[in-house]
Amino acid sequence: MNAAIITIGDELLNGQTIDTNSSWLAQELNLLGINIALKFSCGDSQEPVRDALQLSSERADLIITTGGLGPTKDDITKKSICDFLSDELRFDQGTYDNILALLKSRGRGMTELHKNQCYMPGSAKLIANSQGTAPGMWMEHEGKIYLALPGVPREMKAIMKPLGLGMIANRFSGEYIIHSFIQTAGCGETIISEAIQPIVDRFPASLSIAYLPSIASVKLRITAKGKDFDILQTWVKKFTDEISFEIKEHVYGFGELTLSEAVGQLCLRYKIKLATAESCTGGLLAQLITSISGASSYYQGSIVAYSNELKMNLLRVPDDLLALQGAVSEAVVKQMVRGAIAATNADVAIATSGIAGPTGGSIDKPVGTIWIAVGTRETQETVKLQLNKDRIGNVQYTAVTALNMMRKFIEKNFA
Ligand code: ATP
Ligand code: MG
């Protein structure tokens, strides 16, 4: 089974936008066992799109386009596909009603441009788009499937995730594919895979596992593939439970949960107020924590105390401690936790201090030396990291590790 992907948009060719749609689609189609034979990017004009359609139709069974459906772009994708398939555009009342409702909910009215968007290739089966005005268009011609999707990545995924991918899978294999995700932090993928190998060895043939590492965290994806949906679901649940139990101290959640969300949920559950005192992370902890909607109900804020002066004035780190131990030290990060709690009235705080590099290291404290403390006014736990990434990598690793320490601290002390 071969597919071709055609991404459409001038911005993809002049370098202003990186084509993320085709890599996302390719990964998702690969998971369905579909091979990508060709990939094209075309500007907003009909000729190159027609050429790409021609070559794709010679080599692929499934041809997916993204982009060129918006009201301002003269609908070049629809016109090109219609010409290519000898189809014609027809007014679609359902699309009109959807656009009208969407505009109404945004307090706007229908314009001529919007009305133009309601014309669809006559043979197209439309796939709902919960995020925008252009639905997906599924067309069949001479044994090939043509699927036209909007360019905005969020809209493209809103069509493919709930419906489009399932339609493709069903069409080409009659098989179902189910995923389950286990989110872990603070442990490398080799250690995790060794720990769970005995369980993975017992997987039925329909199940597989993938390790998807990112900064200081690993996402496990368990995939089941087969014809009996109920059996697949039972297997996925059973093995997700077994694996997450085996590595439970590293598991912070399931599905698409992020570590910041997990910490937020714990703060809400135990009615804890959180603060941060950041030196080397420079506000990244605050950014991660406040990226979660509703963070204001548990997050007091951050004191980004980069200089010794601010560590003394805002976090009450004694000057003799700084002189004796240096800013990158266990005693200083512990005091930063206490100082942040005193300054913000929080219950718990996270503090970071380190040498992110590439300059600033010494023999005693080489680049990558990082101290993290988490705790309450009374007790703090600390960790010393010795990292060897670039500056940004060191800072990101520190922030994720610190959040994970706070998660474990709350689970241990408040649960
Ligand atoms: P459509 O929504 O169908 O693309 P359009 O072409 O009229 O209609 P644009 O104004 O081009 O819409 O906006 C599309 C948006 O989606 C732009 O922000 C663009 O950068 C982004 N985009 C388009 N194609 C891709 C792609 N292949 N990968 C990542 N982003 C894309
Ligand atoms: Mg476009």
Side-chain angles (χ1 to χ4, degrees):
M1 156 60 41
N2 280 334
I5 301 173
I6 306 171
T7 55
I8 301 163
D10 288 340
E11 72 277 17
L12 303 172
L13 298 188
N14 64 22
Q16 280 171 7
T17 298
I18 294 174
D19 165 27
T20 54
N21 283 351
S22 69
S23 58
W24 187 86
L25 283 167
Q27 287 178 34
E28 295 294 329
L29 293 173
N30 284 346
L31 283 175
L32 302 180
I34 296 172
N35 172 53
I36 309 303
L38 302 154
K39 233 168 87 167
F40 298 97
S41 285
C42 306
D44 286 306
S45 58
Q46 286 197 43
E47 269 172 29
V49 176
R50 189 198 54 212
D51 293 346
L53 285 169
Q54 179 60 44
L55 280 166
S56 299
S57 69
E58 289 165 17
R59 303 280 165 79
D61 314 284
L62 168 67
I63 297 113
I64 300 183
T65 68
T66 78
L69 299 179
T72 57
K73 291 281 166 54
D74 211 20
D75 285 339
I76 85 119
T77 302
K78 281 191 271 188
K79 280 189 189 148
S80 310
I81 291 184
C82 271
D83 288 353
F84 188 72
L85 303 183
S86 312
D87 198 351
E88 56 187 40
L89 291 173
R90 285 186 216 141
F91 181 80
D92 182 71
Q93 188 63 39
T95 305
Y96 182 90
D97 296 342
N98 286 343
I99 294 180
L100 198 65
L102 192 98
L103 291 171
K104 216 170 163 187
S105 74
R106 294 176 183 172
R108 289 158 52 195
M110 188 77 108
T111 65
E112 274 311 302
L113 282 177
H114 290 124
K115 282 186 194 142
N116 291 341
Q117 265 198 299
C118 303
Y119 286 84
M120 297 290 161
S123 68
K125 193 191 303 176
L126 303 182
I127 314 177
N129 172 0
S130 60
Q131 299 284 323
T133 51
M137 284 160 246
W138 176 288
M139 290 148 283
E140 301 194 18
H141 186 75
E142 295 178 352
K144 316 259 168 179
I145 292 175
Y146 296 79
L147 178 57
L149 301 167
V152 182
R154 185 173 34 91
E155 295 188 30
M156 185 272 292
K157 290 177 195 169
I159 292 168
M160 293 304 277
K161 273 192 193 167
L163 293 167
L165 289 169
M167 288 168 68
I168 292 171
N170 210 289
R171 179 58 195 269
F172 287 115
S173 63
E175 288 197 333
Y176 294 96
I177 296 194
I178 300 177
H179 301 297
S180 135
F181 296 98
I182 304 174
Q183 302 281 3
T184 75
C187 187
E189 63 178 307
T190 17
I191 295 175
I192 291 184
S193 79
E194 271 170 24
I196 64 173
Q197 195 55 45
I199 303 176
V200 174
D201 287 341
R202 288 191 281 106
F203 271 15
S206 54
L207 245 60
S208 61
I209 188 161
Y211 301 87
L212 311 167
S214 52
I215 300 156
S217 52
V218 181
K219 176 156 92 171
L220 307 186
R221 184 184 64 215
I222 299 166
T223 302
K225 220 167 152 177
K227 294 199 190 305
D228 190 325
F229 189 78
D230 292 338
I231 290 180
L232 296 180
Q233 264 198 324
T234 312
W235 282 127
V236 166
K237 169 141 190 4
K238 171 180 152 61
F239 281 99
T240 301
D241 289 350
E242 271 195 47
I243 288 173
S244 52
F245 184 78
E246 185 64 35
I247 49 169
K248 58 179 175 303
E249 69 270 36
H250 306 301
V251 174
Y252 70 79
F254 300 91
E256 296 297 323
L257 194 82
T258 64
L259 193 50
S260 315
E261 280 173 305
V263 170
Q265 288 177 0
L266 288 169
C267 288
L268 285 174
R269 185 177 316 151
Y270 301 114
K271 300 191 169 43
I272 298 167
K273 295 261 188 238
L274 170 68
T276 46
E278 305 188 60
S279 187
C280 70
T281 46
L284 179 59
L285 275 170
Q287 200 278 324
L288 290 172
I289 295 167
T290 57
S291 68
I292 306 306
S293 152
S296 58
S297 49
Y298 54 84
Y299 186 51
Q300 295 290 75
S302 192
I303 294 170
V304 181
Y306 213 60
S307 66
N308 282 353
E309 193 185 346
L310 257 62
K311 288 184 183 79
M312 289 189 284
N313 293 344
L314 300 180
L315 295 169
R316 305 182 193 178
V317 183
D319 55 355
D320 53 349
L321 192 64
L322 284 163
L324 211 65
Q325 310 263 341
V328 180
S329 63
E330 181 172 30
V332 166
V333 283
K334 281 178 146 191
Q335 177 51 38
M336 285 169 72
V337 164
R338 291 190 292 265
I341 290 173
T344 63
N345 219 5
D347 303 300
V348 293
I350 308 174
T352 61
S353 183
I355 302 147
T359 58
S362 64
I363 293 184
D364 274 6
K365 293 177 185 172
V367 164
T369 307
I370 315 269
W371 276 98
I372 303 171
V374 301
T376 59
R377 200 186 302 265
E378 292 79 28
T379 44
Q380 300 89 38
E381 288 179 6
T382 59
V383 151
K384 183 190 186 187
L385 302 176
Q386 197 62 62
L387 305 178
N388 52 13
K389 303 171 192 309
D390 62 11
R391 181 176 178 81
I392 302 290
N394 286 338
V395 168
Q396 289 177 329
Y397 192 96
T398 303
V400 176
T401 304
L403 273 177
N404 194 43
M405 281 172 67
M406 180 47 84
R407 168 185 76 83
K408 288 185 159 182
F409 183 86
I410 297 175
E411 282 175 351
K412 194 168 95 188
N413 295 281
F414 291 83

PDB file of all heavy atoms in Angstrom, residues 46 70 218:
ATOM      1  N   GLN A  46      -2.202  26.300  -9.802  1.00  0.00           N
ATOM      2  CA  GLN A  46      -2.756  25.010 -10.224  1.00  0.00           C
ATOM      3  C   GLN A  46      -1.791  24.086 -10.951  1.00  0.00           C
ATOM      4  O   GLN A  46      -1.832  22.873 -10.759  1.00  0.00           O
ATOM      5  CB  GLN A  46      -3.985  25.256 -11.126  1.00  0.00           C
ATOM      6  CG  GLN A  46      -5.192  25.712 -10.343  1.00  0.00           C
ATOM      7  CD  GLN A  46      -6.459  25.537 -11.150  1.00  0.00           C
ATOM      8  OE1 GLN A  46      -6.652  24.522 -11.802  1.00  0.00           O
ATOM      9  NE2 GLN A  46      -7.325  26.533 -11.123  1.00  0.00           N
ATOM     10  N   GLY A  70      -8.331  27.551   1.796  1.00  0.00           N
ATOM     11  CA  GLY A  70      -8.849  28.744   2.477  1.00  0.00           C
ATOM     12  C   GLY A  70      -9.561  29.674   1.524  1.00  0.00           C
ATOM     13  O   GLY A  70      -9.344  29.615   0.313  1.00  0.00           O
ATOM     14  N   VAL A 218      10.325   9.826  28.998  1.00  0.00           N
ATOM     15  CA  VAL A 218      10.098   8.830  27.936  1.00  0.00           C
ATOM     16  C   VAL A 218       8.605   8.528  27.876  1.00  0.00           C
ATOM     17  O   VAL A 218       7.974   8.261  28.904  1.00  0.00           O
ATOM     18  CB  VAL A 218      10.855   7.504  28.224  1.00  0.00           C
ATOM     19  CG1 VAL A 218      10.605   6.503  27.094  1.00  0.00           C
ATOM     20  CG2 VAL A 218      12.340   7.744  28.396  1.00  0.00           C
TER      21      VAL A 218
END
